[in-house]
Amino acid sequence: MKYFSTRGGSQELTFEETVLTGLAPNGGLYIPTSIPTLPENWKNDWKEHSFVDLSVAVLSLYISQDEISEVELRKLVVKSYARFRHPEVTPLKKLGDKKYILELWHGPTWAFKDVALQLLGNLFEFFLQRRNEKNLEVNEKLTVVGATSGDTGSAAIYGLRNKTNISIFILHPKGRVSPIQEAQMTTVTDANIHNLAVKGTFDDCQDIVKALFADTKFNAKHHLGAVNSINWARILAQTVYYFFAYFSLHRAVGEADVEVQFVVPTGNFGDILAGYYAKRMGLPMAGKLGVATNANDILARFWKTGRYEKADWSPLDDSPLTQPAAGSSDGKQATQDSNRVKETLSPAMDILISSNFERLLWYLAYENVPEDDSDRRGKAGEIVAGWMSQMKSDGKVEVPTSVLEIARRDFCAERVGDEQILTTIQSHFLGTPSYVVDPHTAVGLFAAERMAQQNTSSVIQVILSTAHPAKFSEAVSAALINTPNFNFENQIMPEEFNGMLQKERRVIDVESADIELVKSIIEARV
Ligand SMILES: *Cc1c(COP(=O)(O)O)cnc(C)c1O
């Protein structure tokens, strides 16, 4: 299996090159040359598989044996999921006859990004070690640099801690990530982990990281690596839990066939894209894949209008609870400026554009090119390159109706506001069974209710739960504060969080958002 860029060109990469490269030189994202189909007896052969067994079965369809043998792959997968607190890794919980929750947050940082980043860390280490064994004269190293507003940073740090030949530098805006997230990142004191607390905003951090990657000299010297959600290995790792959920649901319902709809709290479109691959491989999904966005609703608007366009929401959409970003001098300005995200109660989904959406656009473009075209793949790449360059220059692009129709065949989408997040957290706490969800999962649950109206009565919904509620104490407390019998410490706080805020920390203060300053820190510690 080889991989090529969504923006065309003849370049084809191995899995290893794809994982180590991240972004294609022409700005595109890598996708597989074909989507593999499932083995003939998969339903029967895989039905009792553990999460690890399923990972090996699914991943090996995308990774050639001569790149990673099945024995090696199994070792990597076992290691990646050994530290998950739940034996099933991603267990399925029943909330109602037609409503299940897939809990994806049993990994080290209590959010779904662990599922992919634990594996990515092991893949990086494996590839580097093998390269260095083959060529004893050089010792290839990787310097991972990333900016975070909270979730990605901690999951990346836990994925890469203690890995041979890898250093990681994570920039966060000082004092602007939640106390739990800050503690999760900075209490990891392994020698290869470097937390940079930058005096500035998340955008400042992001700009510095972009500038570092664009600095060819610096990049070549330090072999910069990326862990953001465009990395193909992250998508691939996430495909597995759609299969796991399908079989778990079979067992729970006790029927030969179930009609399932997955609903996914969505930001950069990585999580739900994995579901699309699962569907294209042949996993039966009776209901459309449900894209659930918060007020940063570029995707929900796409499915409504066919226009992929940066924010056009009016300030009237502001729910009263949404506060302007800490330190932003003028909240109104921030909400009207199409180059800034809107701060919501579900911060991990606060995005301007969705980086992985380009991968779906490629498949939509491809299907829209006539089947008998001898260069169907090349045409699709040209179309996507055109759309993306238009997006860059105009901030918007409109796809033809025929393309929108293809998109609507597989997906539906809903937008959920902060107000609805709060009422959803409350209604599920008061419901039977009582269940506390984090604000991102609440977006999924509320969207699912709306989507259910379009389903036939036999469809069972599986909502992906992307974080543990204790990670987002502010929103959860705001929703439940006036509810009788509610106690955050006793009911929600996991034991493991006790004492975390007091643990030893290691963090480097960066006094100004200055790229040269950050470069010198990296040079000194790598
Ligand atoms: C990253 C994240 C999301 C969004 O996932 P995408 O793959 O970017 O769509 C949702 N919820 C939580 C808690 C996250 O950390």
Side-chain angles (χ1 to χ4, degrees):
M1 178 72 80
K2 290 281 176 61
Y3 294 84
F4 67 96
S5 167
T6 48
R7 297 192 194 175
S10 57
Q11 186 202 32
E12 286 194 1
L13 270 62
T14 63
F15 178 72
E16 172 175 339
E17 288 162 344
T18 305
V19 172
L20 289 174
T21 310
L23 202 66
N26 62 12
L29 310 189
Y30 290 112
I31 53 175
T33 44
S34 64
I35 298 179
T37 46
L38 298 169
E40 202 175 333
N41 292 319
W42 70 277
K43 258 191 203 179
N44 204 46
D45 294 351
W46 293 3
K47 68 176 184 222
E48 299 302 331
H49 272 10
S50 66
F51 190 89
V52 164
D53 294 337
L54 265 184
S55 291
V56 175
V58 172
L59 266 51
S60 58
L61 297 175
Y62 286 89
I63 308 170
S64 310
Q65 280 274 338
D66 50 9
E67 275 204 70
I68 307 180
S69 73
E70 202 169 310
V71 175
E72 287 168 322
L73 183 61
R74 178 169 289 275
K75 271 195 220 157
L76 292 170
V77 170
V78 166
K79 198 165 144 192
S80 300
Y81 300 112
R83 306 221 323 270
F84 277 60
R85 293 173 304 275
H86 197 287
E88 288 178 51
V89 183
T90 60
L92 191 71
K93 294 266 163 77
K94 182 175 182 174
L95 288 194
D97 278 346
K98 300 287 171 209
K99 186 159 70 180
Y100 286 74
I101 284 265
L102 185 66
E103 292 182 346
L104 301 176
W105 39 257
H106 292 278
T109 73
W110 303 76
F112 95 100
K113 292 189 172 66
D114 287 328
V115 177
L117 282 164
Q118 286 293 310
L119 181 72
L120 184 63
N122 286 319
L123 284 170
F124 276 162
E125 186 178 55
F126 173 80
F127 291 140
L128 286 175
Q129 239 156 19
R130 189 166 64 183
R131 286 178 174 207
N132 290 335
E133 275 163 23
K134 269 191 205 146
N135 185 351
L136 295 174
E137 268 135 55
V138 291
N139 191 26
E140 212 177 302
K141 291 192 164 115
L142 194 67
T143 306
V144 170
V145 190
T148 190
S149 55
D151 262 8
T152 306
S154 47
I157 286 169
Y158 274 84
L160 293 174
R161 67 187 297 183
N162 233 337
K163 296 272 182 273
T164 319
N165 296 322
I166 303 173
S167 311
I168 175 164
F169 294 83
I170 295 292
L171 285 63
H172 71 264
K174 188 179 167 77
R176 295 189 190 192
V177 298
S178 83
I180 287 289
Q181 289 176 324
E182 190 181 337
Q184 277 184 333
M185 291 192 285
T186 57
T187 58
V188 178
T189 55
D190 303 56
N192 72 328
I193 304 292
H194 309 281
N195 279 286
L196 275 59
V198 178
K199 212 170 189 177
T201 62
F202 168 66
D203 287 333
D204 294 333
C205 296
Q206 185 105 305
D207 288 345
I208 294 176
V209 170
K210 277 188 196 152
L212 290 173
F213 275 93
D215 184 331
T216 36
K217 220 170 113 200
F218 189 81
N219 195 337
K221 184 169 172 201
H222 294 291
H223 287 141
L224 298 190
V227 285
N228 47 17
S229 76
I230 54 115
N231 195 302
W232 167 252
R234 286 185 60 178
I235 309 294
L236 185 53
Q238 289 164 184
T239 306
V240 176
Y241 47 68
Y242 286 88
F243 286 91
F244 191 78
Y246 178 81
F247 289 117
S248 301
L249 192 59
H250 265 266
R251 285 191 287 272
V253 177
E255 279 171 26
D257 263 312
V258 288
E259 294 187 19
V260 59
Q261 173 178 47
F262 290 99
V263 181
V264 189
T266 295
N268 273 322
F269 206 74
D271 203 0
I272 194 163
L273 183 72
Y276 176 73
Y277 278 102
K279 184 175 188 179
R280 292 285 307 267
M281 289 166 77
L283 185 70
M285 295 185 194
K288 296 179 181 184
L289 280 157
V291 180
T293 80
N294 67 19
N296 295 289
D297 60 350
I298 182 168
L299 292 171
R301 284 182 285 114
F302 171 79
W303 264 279
K304 214 173 183 177
T305 65
R307 282 195 303 277
Y308 187 56
E309 180 175 22
K310 284 189 184 169
D312 72 345
W313 26 255
S314 79
L316 293 176
D317 291 342
D318 272 352
S319 62
L321 245 141
T322 309
Q323 300 294 331
S328 93
S329 53
D330 184 347
K332 225 175 198 116
Q333 173 108 33
T335 57
Q336 283 177 323
D337 180 349
S338 64
N339 283 315
R340 301 208 40 176
V341 297
K342 180 163 171 168
E343 312 253 336
T344 73
L345 292 173
S346 46
M349 289 154 56
D350 288 348
I351 45 92
L352 270 181
I353 55 161
S354 284
S355 44
N356 273 296
F357 189 57
E358 181 169 342
R359 286 192 164 108
L360 178 67
L361 283 174
W362 189 88
Y363 290 102
L364 301 178
Y366 182 82
E367 280 197 57
N368 202 44
V369 176
E371 223 167 298
D372 57 4
D373 193 303
S374 61
D375 187 26
R376 211 174 162 191
R377 184 175 125 183
K379 292 262 167 60
E382 278 168 30
I383 293 167
V384 171
W387 285 341
M388 294 329 279
S389 97
Q390 207 184 330
M391 189 66 191
K392 193 167 177 188
S393 57
D394 307 346
K396 64 177 168 217
V397 62
E398 180 156 10
V399 302
T401 316
S402 52
V403 169
L404 180 59
E405 273 163 17
I406 299 167
R408 284 180 176 159
R409 227 175 37 207
D410 290 316
F411 294 88
C412 57
E414 290 285 348
R415 164 202 202 272
V416 179
D418 276 356
E419 200 77 36
Q420 294 151 340
I421 290 178
L422 294 173
T423 54
T424 303
I425 294 174
Q426 204 178 57
S427 66
H428 283 86
F429 176 67
L430 296 172
T432 317
S434 174
Y435 188 79
V436 181
V437 294
D438 93 289
H440 305 81
T441 308
V443 169
L445 277 165
F446 188 86
E449 260 167 56
R450 288 218 189 124
M451 291 165 182
Q453 293 162 11
Q454 309 297 320
N455 288 341
T456 57
S457 60
S458 48
V459 171
I460 299 177
Q461 291 181 312
V462 173
I463 295 100
L464 273 54
S465 176
T466 50
H468 187 278
K471 280 200 89 167
F472 297 93
S473 57
E474 234 174 280
V476 174
S477 297
L480 301 180
I481 195 86
N482 293 320
T483 318
N485 306 324
F486 170 67
N487 181 310
F488 192 87
E489 299 288 315
N490 295 344
Q491 288 165 323
I492 299 177
M493 232 13 201
E495 242 174 67
E496 289 88 338
F497 282 26
N498 285 342
M500 188 162 65
L501 296 174
Q502 283 80 43
K503 266 197 200 156
E504 183 201 342
R505 297 185 185 211
R506 214 163 67 90
V507 58
I508 304 157
D509 276 312
V510 182
E511 282 310 320
S512 67
D514 173 18
I515 178 169
E516 293 305 325
L517 191 54
V518 171
K519 270 193 199 168
S520 66
I521 291 170
I522 295 176
E523 299 253 317
R525 322 229 164 194
V526 76

